[in-house]
């Protein structure tokens, strides 16, 4: 493919540089973003950095709106807001994540293993789908339009369970995100919006895919002349809209208690605690979790592990400078619960603040760990106020969300 993980910003400084470079061309985004080329120059390629918050959605949105008129960059800002929307939507309905994990556990018992192995190896009757599968495995990235084509083909043409496709993506995407990934696959399969699923069509691929890729991987496209949608389960669609967790216990960073040893835990969902509610914290100790030991991330690709290694090393360096009176360390090459238990015991920590992870495997792992430690360690889950603001607007469809969020952004922009 000619790309490697270095192609995707993996440090805060690289994310900053990528944003600045992309900013020069941002007004072309609206017209060009759907065109898929081999070098992905039409899109920002910031998603791994934003997903792990080496640069936050809010920094990107605020800076974009400070430098450009709203109308010129609305499409880009709207796309960044999609991530906030999906996170908010899933946060209000965490059972969807549980159901996904249960379905996956059942399906993984031998379902279509040979067919899926062949696809992952790039052996497909529509050649370009094999090209996308290889691109994902080799680089950890796919353009949004390619993700839609591939997922639509998987569900509606290959008629494979969407959950297995979502799992394939999750294990390989550098930007893997329980909310964006699970809910986008559900949307393609027709489970998010009544009467709407996503069908990959030959005419659409031929219009938006670069000529060079089509010329060398165009075989079999006639199979997409007239694809027919799988019928979505209507009951599942209705059931899944239900809000089951309307209110999170909101907590902000609590000042350290004099009698306690106070620590911060930093994880891959928010690698920039120095820009946010924890910026004035005075911890005795900071633990940057090591995400390579594959506990809650079992099955991650080597590409993804390489990216996270760079990102967490960068975070360790930055935080050693920033929290200069604290002992800052990287966890051992151990499951996350073990890293936390060892650190609490070695550093005699009994009060912890941690940025709240979104619904997904990390939240599951951290919640279980602190449940076990309750009685010994007090934990404070810290939310960015901007996340709380967006989350409460994600009760219905995206365009209802956007109407309210856009108004809020415009007001803030005027006031700023
Ligand atoms: C089936 C499927 C699975 C997906 N899985 C993931 C996933 O696991 N993680 C993930 O981050 N995105 C996922 N997406 C959304 C989207 O494809 C990526 O966020 C986007 O391709 C990122 O590339 P970029 O930074 O170059 O995007 P740009 O076009 O430059 O967009 C700028 C930023 O906006 C956000 N963004 C753009 N489009 C979307 C979108 N549709 N949903 C949410 N955020 C968006 C990202 O933060 C992105 O960095 C998925 C989409 C589909 C169709």
């Amino acid at each position: 493919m000619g790309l490697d993980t270095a192609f995707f910003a993996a440090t805060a400084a690289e994310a900053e540089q990528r944003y600045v470079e992309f900013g020069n061309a941002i007004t072309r985004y609206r017209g060009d973003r759907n065109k898929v080329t081999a070098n992905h120059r039409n899109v920002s390629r910031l998603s791994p950095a934003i997903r792990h918050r080496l640069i936050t959605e809010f920094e990107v949105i605020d800076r974009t709106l400070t430098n450009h008129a709203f109308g010129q960059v609305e499409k880009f800002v709207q796309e960044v807001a999609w991530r906030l929307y999906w996170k908010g939507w899933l946060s209000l309905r965490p059972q969807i994540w549980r159901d996904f994990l249960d379905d996956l556990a059942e399906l993984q018992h031998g379902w279509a293993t040979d067919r899926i192995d062949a696809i992952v190896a790039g052996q497909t009757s529509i050649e370009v789908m094999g090209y996308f599968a290889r691109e994902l495995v080799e680089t950890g990235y796919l353009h949004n339009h390619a993700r839609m084509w591939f997922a639509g083909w998987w569900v509606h043409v290959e008629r494979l369970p969407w959950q297995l496709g979502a799992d394939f993506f999750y294990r390989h995407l550098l930007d893997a995100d329980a909310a964006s990934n699970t809910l986008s696959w559900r949307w393609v399969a027709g489970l998010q919006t009544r009467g709407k699923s996503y069908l990959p069509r030959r005419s659409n691929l031929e219009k938006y895919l670069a000529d060079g890729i089509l010329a060398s991987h165009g075989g079999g496209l006639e199979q997409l002349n007239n694809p027919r949608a799988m019928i979505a389960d209507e009951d599942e669609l209705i059931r899944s809209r239900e809000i089951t967790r309307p209110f999170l216990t909101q907590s902000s960073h609590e000042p350290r208690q004099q009698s306690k040893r106070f620590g911060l835990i930093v994880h891959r969902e928010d690698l920039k605690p120095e820009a946010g509610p924890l910026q004035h914290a005075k911890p005795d100790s900071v633990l940057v979790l090591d995400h390579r030991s594959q506990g809650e991330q079992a099955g991650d690709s080597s590409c993804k592990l390489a990216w996270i290694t760079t990102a967490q090393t960068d975070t360790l360096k930055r935080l050693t400078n920033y929290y200069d009176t604290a002992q800052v360390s990287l966890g051992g090459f151990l499951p996350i619960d073990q890293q936390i238990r060892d650190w609490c015991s070695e550093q005699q920590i009994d009060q912890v603040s941690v940025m709240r992870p979104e619904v997904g495997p990390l939240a599951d792992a951290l919640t279980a760990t602190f449940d076990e430690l309750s009685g010994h360690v007090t934990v404070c889950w810290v939310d960015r106020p901007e996340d709380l603001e967006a989350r409460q607007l994600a009760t219905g469809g995206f365009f209802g969300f956007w109407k309210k969020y856009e108004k809020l952004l415009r007001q803030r922009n005027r006031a700023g």
Side-chain angles (χ1 to χ4, degrees):
M1 302 283 141
L3 304 179
D4 59 31
T5 45
F7 192 68
F8 300 98
T11 68
E14 285 172 6
E16 170 68 24
Q17 191 189 341
R18 183 87 275 279
Y19 175 76
V20 171
E21 280 163 16
F22 183 70
N24 298 332
I26 207 165
T27 50
R28 290 207 302 270
Y29 179 81
R30 185 194 173 90
D32 290 350
R33 72 185 186 98
N34 279 326
K35 296 178 194 155
V36 181
T37 61
N39 60 19
H40 301 304
R41 298 288 171 203
N42 294 325
V43 284
S44 72
R45 291 178 276 123
L46 274 169
S47 57
I50 298 178
R51 194 291 173 249
H52 297 88
R53 290 195 160 159
L54 288 168
I55 185 167
T56 69
E57 293 91 329
F58 316 108
E59 287 171 317
V60 168
I61 291 176
D62 286 352
R63 287 176 61 177
T64 304
L65 292 179
T66 303
N67 295 333
H68 301 275
F70 202 103
Q72 276 188 319
V73 288
E74 178 168 355
K75 195 70 214 164
F76 179 71
V77 172
Q78 197 180 69
E79 291 306 311
V80 179
W82 264 103
R83 176 187 301 285
L84 297 171
Y85 167 71
W86 283 137
K87 286 202 285 199
W89 200 93
L90 191 64
S91 167
L92 297 170
R93 301 158 183 90
Q95 78 278 7
I96 302 250
W97 173 248
R98 296 252 73 79
D99 291 350
F100 166 68
L101 292 182
D102 290 346
D103 291 349
L104 193 60
E106 253 180 55
L107 289 162
Q108 276 170 333
H109 289 298
W111 212 99
T113 319
D114 293 346
R115 268 172 77 201
I116 290 174
D117 287 349
I119 293 173
V120 172
Q123 295 151 13
T124 54
S125 59
I126 301 179
E127 285 176 22
V128 77
M129 298 302 167
Y131 170 86
F132 292 141
R134 282 199 310 279
E135 180 177 16
L136 174 58
V137 170
E138 288 170 24
T139 71
Y141 178 83
L142 279 184
H143 184 286
N144 183 58
H145 218 158
R147 296 184 203 205
M148 288 162 60
W149 291 326
F150 186 90
W153 163 77
W154 179 288
V155 172
H156 301 293
V157 181
E158 287 294 308
R159 310 232 150 187
L160 287 164
W162 68 267
Q163 294 91 335
L164 293 176
D167 180 55
F168 169 46
F169 268 29
Y170 195 89
R171 283 183 289 109
H172 290 275
L173 284 171
L174 302 182
D175 62 26
D177 175 333
S180 290
N181 191 49
T182 316
L183 301 179
S184 295
W185 274 88
R186 283 173 52 89
W187 171 76
V188 166
L191 290 168
Q192 281 299 117
T193 314
R194 174 178 266 139
K196 278 204 181 145
S197 48
Y198 183 80
L199 284 172
R201 293 185 191 281
R202 177 182 188 167
S203 53
N204 187 263
L205 266 118
E206 286 177 343
K207 180 170 174 192
Y208 288 105
L209 189 56
D211 291 345
I213 303 176
L214 266 180
S216 45
H217 303 280
L221 272 186
E222 66 285 353
Q223 293 171 53
L224 301 180
N225 282 348
N226 195 16
R228 280 189 309 155
M230 284 278 288
I231 306 296
D233 177 350
E234 185 81 1
D235 290 344
E236 159 73 3
L237 201 143
I238 294 165
R239 204 175 45 243
S240 64
R241 286 197 187 142
E242 198 188 330
I243 291 178
T244 56
R245 189 176 67 162
F247 303 110
L248 284 173
T249 326
Q250 297 185 11
S251 59
S252 53
H253 165 61
E254 288 176 15
R256 61 173 301 162
Q257 295 171 25
Q258 279 311 324
S259 56
K260 302 222 175 201
R261 288 271 300 163
F262 165 54
L264 296 185
I265 294 182
V266 178
H267 54 70
R268 65 178 163 83
E269 289 204 10
D270 201 317
L271 293 173
K272 216 174 171 191
E274 73 272 34
L278 292 174
Q279 64 183 318
H280 300 303
K282 294 268 174 257
D284 296 302
S285 181
V286 178
L287 171 67
V288 178
L289 289 176
D290 186 341
H291 290 285
R292 294 166 308 154
S293 69
Q294 299 216 349
E296 105 285 8
Q297 287 289 93
D300 273 2
S301 71
S302 51
C303 204
K304 225 171 134 176
L305 291 175
W307 190 91
I308 197 69
T309 303
T310 310
Q312 63 196 24
T313 306
D314 171 62
T315 302
L316 185 69
K317 235 191 266 169
R318 273 185 292 110
L319 297 189
T320 303
N321 288 332
Y322 188 80
Y323 295 113
D324 55 358
T325 56
Q327 150 117 16
V328 183
S329 57
L330 183 67
F333 192 64
L334 295 164
I336 277 175
D337 60 331
Q338 194 63 47
Q339 293 180 43
I340 296 176
R341 255 187 267 125
D342 287 358
W343 171 72
C344 284
S345 138
E346 278 158 26
Q347 297 287 318
Q348 298 178 320
I349 297 297
D350 43 16
Q351 185 191 347
V352 167
S353 282
V354 55
M355 297 305 293
R356 190 196 299 277
E358 296 289 343
V359 173
L362 182 67
D364 294 346
L366 286 182
T367 310
T369 305
F370 283 109
D371 282 351
E372 264 178 48
L373 288 173
S374 68
H376 307 283
V377 180
T378 322
V379 62
C380 174
W381 302 100
V382 182
D383 296 295
R384 290 180 186 265
E386 302 95 324
D387 277 323
L388 295 175
E389 194 173 58
R391 184 176 293 144
Q392 64 184 359
L393 304 180
T395 48
F398 177 77
F399 290 99
F401 165 87
W402 175 246
K403 222 168 140 187
K404 292 177 261 179
Y405 198 61
E406 180 196 359
K407 196 168 157 198
L408 209 139
L409 292 177
R410 284 186 189 270
Q411 279 165 354
R412 192 177 300 152
N413 196 231
R414 263 198 299 274

